[in-house]
Amino acid sequence: QAKRAGGGDYAIFDATMHDDAVSQLTLQTDLRQAVERGEFHLAYQPIVDPASGAIQSFEALLRWTHPVRGPISPADFVPVAEEIGLIRQIDRWVMHEACAQLAQWQRRFDDPALRLSINVSAAGFVDRDFVTALSDVLDEFGLRPQTLELEITEGIFLHPSAEIAGAIGAVRDMGVRIALDDFGTGYSSLSYINRYPIDTIKIDKSFIDGVGSNRETRAIVELIVKLGATLDLNIIAEGVETQAQTDILMQIGCRAIQGYHFAKPLTPEDATRVLAAGGAAAP
Ligand code: C2E
Ligand code: MG
Ligand code: MG
Ligand code: MG
């Protein structure tokens, strides 16, 4: 069958496309039910001071265990959820769940300054009700707004700038912090920090990967860290996997790192254990 000339090849190509389309469609249907069925949960990855290993905060990362397919990466399903307009609902769930966890940790460890960041998609962030939902959830759990940080990517700047400025302004007025995620991967990263009141920059893993092996990459990372010091921005290095990278980042003056070298995204129970052990996530 595969060896039929011309048309046969086409048919095989077609069948693959058909399979893809079917699996995409199933994914969409399954995603719609996942929230109600409670198939989502959160993992928490520590963000640490590289010198002491002390935890500065956590990033909440969405996890989906599909009843048949098993775990599916957010890199695969978040874009689908965005396409079908479901990401807002999912992000709301994340916000609620993450804030509940943060409040629980703050109480349990008597540390009302313990911080957490969550990822917010562009569509959710510029949504009219977003700020209301955010303020409701902070009230519900009695959280200091300063202990919550929202991670946005440069994808958000594809929206009209008035909408973005409005959303960022409203969030900042509440006291909630804003981080620019995947920094350096977009078109004009620098212009955004010039234009919007950003608190934190997360240097994308693609730069951290090369920090030990590539002079140019190291120079760029050093420049971003210096810029952060000058502009009073918090700089976090993402995707740190080795001690060598950690050493260089410390030399450069980077004081917050996140990556498998210190800790993978943890279950709530494991994250709680790490906090109970004094908050040091030693490698
Ligand atoms: P992100 O926000 O940039 O998150 C960092 C990603 O890098 C996470 O992948 C994390 O597990 C991974 N990571 C951390 N340290 C290392 C490391 O040392 N090595 C490697 N190879 N990877 C590392 P994850 O959890 O698969 O999430 C992928 C992306 O999905 C996130 O990138 C974020 O853009 C999106 N995402 C995750 N959770 C949510 C959510 O609740 N809402 C929305 N809208 N997007 C989310
Ligand atoms: Mg993030
Ligand atoms: Mg990132
Ligand atoms: Mg990302």
Side-chain angles (χ1 to χ4, degrees), residues 45 59 62-63 74 91 119 181-182 205 238 241 260 265:
Q45 189 176 30
E59 177 177 7
L62 185 58
R63 295 291 176 260
D91 279 353
N119 294 281
D181 205 347
D182 304 343
K205 179 176 187 304
E238 277 195 296
E241 293 182 340
Y260 294 172

Side-chain angles (χ1 to χ4, degrees), residues 53-158:
I55 293 179
Q56 299 179 338
S57 72
F58 287 92
E59 177 177 7
L61 292 159
L62 185 58
R63 295 291 176 260
W64 180 25
T65 309
H66 188 281
V68 178
R69 298 195 207 178
I72 301 180
S73 161
D76 294 330
F77 72 78
V78 165
V80 178
E82 281 171 344
E83 252 169 60
I84 61 174
L86 203 69
I87 194 65
R88 265 180 269 176
Q89 198 189 333
I90 296 174
D91 279 353
R92 294 288 169 88
W93 178 85
V94 170
M95 191 195 284
H96 195 268
E97 182 76 11
C99 285
Q101 180 64 77
L102 180 60
Q104 195 204 311
W105 281 335
Q106 288 183 353
R107 269 197 314 275
R108 171 157 174 182
F109 297 105
D110 193 25
D111 181 5
L114 182 66
R115 285 157 46 193
L116 180 84
S117 66
I118 59 176
N119 294 281
V120 183
S121 75
F125 190 76
V126 296
D127 188 54
R128 292 176 154 280
D129 318 320
F130 180 76
V131 173
T132 316
L134 185 61
S135 126
D136 286 352
V137 88
L138 291 172
D139 283 351
E140 180 180 350
F141 296 108
L143 290 169
R144 291 189 199 167
Q146 294 75 15
T147 61
L148 187 66
E149 190 159 78
L150 306 179
E151 300 192 2
I152 57 176
T153 61
E154 291 172 16
I156 198 169
F157 299 111
L158 298 170

Side-chain angles (χ1 to χ4, degrees), residues 242-265:
T242 68
Q243 184 60 45
Q245 290 168 349
T246 307
D247 290 342
I248 292 167
L249 288 163
M250 279 197 287
Q251 271 173 36
I252 285 173
C254 183
R255 297 210 301 266
I257 70 175
Q258 178 181 2
Y260 294 172
H261 180 59
F262 276 87
K264 292 205 165 176

Side-chain angles (χ1 to χ4, degrees), residues 131 161-171:
V131 173
S161 57
E163 269 179 39
I164 303 157
I168 293 184
V171 166

